[in-house]
Amino acid sequence: MPTSSSTSGSERRFVPVAALSFAVVVGALTISYELLVRSSEERYGVRRANVVSPLSASPKIDALVSDLAAGIHYSVYALGTSRTEEGIRTDEIDRAAGPTYNLGMSGGSILSGFEVLDLLDERPALILVGVMPMDFTMTGVRQGSVPIRLARDSIASLHRRPESEERGPAAAARTMTYALLHGASPARRRSLGQWFDLLHMHGDLMKFINNADAVAKQNDLWIRGFLGVRRVATPENFRQLRPSTIPSEYVEDHGPLYARLEEAVARQHSRGSEIVFVRLPIAPVARGLEDAAGFDRDIRAAAARYGVRYIDGNELMGDAFIHDRNNFVDGGHLNAFGATMFSRALADVLRSSKR
C-alpha cells in the first residue's frame, strides 16, 4: 500500500511540473524570438524591406506595394526585361534623377511594366524604358502578365478604404496582441520549412525575420529592384543571344505591340512623366542578330514618332566596353561591374539634360 500511495503522489506532482516546464520553455522561446524581431525591425524597419532578390517578379511588385503603402514613393522607374533588372543600378540613378525603383521583370515585356504603373496610379517624374526585341513579342507579353495576375491582391490593397478594415472585439484584441508581441504578427511568422531552408542555405537571420524570402545567402547585389549578378561571361556565352528565337519572333509579332506601346507612352505623358527609351549595352554578336531583325531601325523611328528621347547603350559606352566580356554575364546581359559603369554614364547623361 505505501508503494501505491507513493506512485500516486509522484503522478500528481508530474502534471504541474510538466506544465511549468512547458510554460518556461515556451516563455523563453517567445521572449527570445521577440527580441530578435525587435532587433530586426530596428535595423530594417517594421515593413518588409527590399533586402533580398525575390524569387519571381510577383514578390518584387509586392515589395514596391509595401513601400508605397508606407508612403515611400519613387521619382524614377526603370521598366523592361532582365536586361533592365540587371543593367540599371538604382542607387547610381538616384544621384541624378531622384529615388529610383527598378521594375524590370525577367522575360516580361515593357508593356507589363507600364500596366503596373497604371494599376498603382504612379506618376513618376521620369520613366526609363529599357527596350529590346523581346518587348515586342507575344512571348514577352504572356510572360509579363503572370506576375501582374499574381500580385493583383497586393496592388488592390493600396486602394482599399480604411472603413473596410475589420472591427470589433476580436480585431481590437488582435491589434493589441500584435502591438505587445511583434513576433506574433503575420509578417513575422515563419514555418518550420522556412527555418530549415534558412539553416540549409545559410541565410542572414535578421534579414530573414524581416523578409521571409531571405532564406539563402545573398551573393548578388540587390538594390530596390536592381539585381547585380557578379558572374563574368565565358568566351562562349559572350557570343550567344538567349533566347535565340527572339529575333524571329520579333519580326512576326512587333507591329501591333508598337501600337500598344505608343498608347502607354501617351498615357504616361498625359500624367506628366518624362520618358526615355534606353537600349542596354549588349555584346557585338547579340547586337548584330537583333539589328538584322530590324530592331535598331524600328526603335529609333518609334522614339522619334512618340516624341521621346532615345539612348543607345552601345554608343554611350563605346567599343572598348562592349568588346570586353568582363562587363557582361552573357551576350545580352550586363554583370554587376558593367551595370555600375553603364548606370553611372547614364546618370551623367540624365544629369546633363537637366541643366
Side-chain angles (χ1 to χ4, degrees):
M1 288 293 295
T3 301
S4 176
S5 176
S6 174
T7 301
S8 177
S10 298
E11 290 175 346
R12 284 196 299 271
R13 285 194 300 273
F14 172 78
V15 174
V17 169
L20 178 62
S21 299
F22 179 76
V24 169
V25 170
V26 170
L29 291 173
T30 300
I31 292 171
S32 299
Y33 188 61
E34 184 68 14
L35 292 174
L36 286 172
V37 166
R38 294 193 180 230
S39 296
S40 177
E41 291 178 346
E42 183 177 352
R43 183 178 302 180
Y44 298 110
V46 175
R47 292 184 177 273
R48 182 178 63 182
N50 296 326
V51 293
V52 61
S53 170
L55 298 179
S56 70
S58 177
K60 184 176 190 174
I61 298 172
D62 293 341
L64 172 59
V65 169
S66 180
D67 282 353
L68 297 175
I72 301 169
H73 290 268
Y74 295 96
S75 302
V76 183
Y77 283 97
L79 310 183
T81 63
S82 55
R83 285 191 189 172
T84 296
E85 182 178 44
E86 298 174 18
I88 296 182
R89 182 167 170 165
T90 47
D91 57 339
E92 294 293 341
I93 305 301
D94 286 353
R95 290 190 274 273
T100 303
Y101 194 90
N102 188 320
L103 199 52
M105 295 181 280
S106 180
S109 167
I110 49 176
L111 295 170
S112 301
F114 276 107
E115 184 177 352
V116 172
L117 294 184
D118 287 341
L119 290 170
L120 294 173
D121 196 26
E122 280 294 276
R123 304 175 185 219
L126 174 64
I127 303 174
L128 299 174
V129 183
V131 292
M132 67 168 291
M134 190 172 195
D135 296 312
F136 304 94
T137 66
M138 293 311 300
T139 297
V141 171
R142 283 193 299 270
Q143 292 178 168
S145 68
V146 174
I148 296 176
R149 186 169 66 249
L150 294 175
R152 280 191 181 274
D153 286 345
S154 177
I155 293 171
S157 69
L158 279 177
H159 307 301
R160 290 183 190 135
R161 299 189 178 190
E163 292 81 9
S164 65
E165 294 178 358
E166 183 184 355
R167 302 188 181 202
R174 187 160 47 249
T175 299
M176 188 179 302
T177 299
Y178 295 163
L180 180 64
L181 294 174
H182 294 196
S185 68
R188 301 291 173 257
R189 295 173 193 162
R190 303 290 180 262
S191 68
L192 287 176
Q194 289 171 316
W195 282 107
F196 176 80
D197 286 342
L198 175 72
L199 295 173
H200 179 67
M201 294 188 275
H202 309 290
D204 182 291
L205 177 60
M206 292 293 102
K207 290 181 179 180
F208 171 69
I209 290 174
N210 172 272
N211 186 331
D213 287 336
V215 292
K217 184 178 180 181
Q218 188 77 13
N219 294 318
D220 297 325
L221 292 177
W222 176 253
I223 307 170
R224 294 193 310 280
F226 164 69
L227 176 61
V229 181
R230 301 183 190 276
R231 194 167 63 253
V232 173
T234 65
E236 292 75 21
N237 62 28
F238 183 58
R239 294 190 295 270
Q240 293 176 345
L241 174 66
R242 293 182 291 184
S244 60
T245 58
I246 291 302
S248 60
E249 290 185 46
Y250 170 81
V251 172
E252 294 177 6
D253 300 341
H254 71 275
L257 300 180
Y258 271 104
R260 287 178 57 179
L261 176 61
E262 185 171 11
E263 293 173 359
V265 168
R267 191 161 52 250
Q268 287 301 140
H269 270 161
S270 70
R271 296 175 175 179
S273 298
E274 178 188 0
I275 296 176
V276 177
F277 285 0
V278 181
R279 190 174 182 189
L280 279 291
I282 58 177
V285 172
R287 175 66 181 244
L289 292 171
E290 291 186 351
D291 288 353
F295 182 68
D296 183 67
R297 176 195 64 238
D298 294 344
I299 197 63
R300 289 178 188 271
R305 191 165 63 250
Y306 306 163
V308 304
R309 185 177 185 183
Y310 174 69
I311 297 174
D312 186 320
N314 280 33
E315 292 179 358
L316 178 63
M317 300 309 292
D319 286 346
F321 180 93
I322 64 171
H323 283 86
D324 185 353
R325 64 182 176 85
N326 291 302
N327 296 317
F328 295 85
V329 176
D330 55 38
H333 296 81
L334 294 168
N335 60 22
F337 177 76
T340 301
M341 297 301 101
F342 169 68
S343 298
R344 286 175 182 170
L346 178 60
D348 289 341
V349 171
L350 296 173
R351 188 182 296 112
S352 65
S353 68
K354 289 186 174 183
R355 293 172 185 165

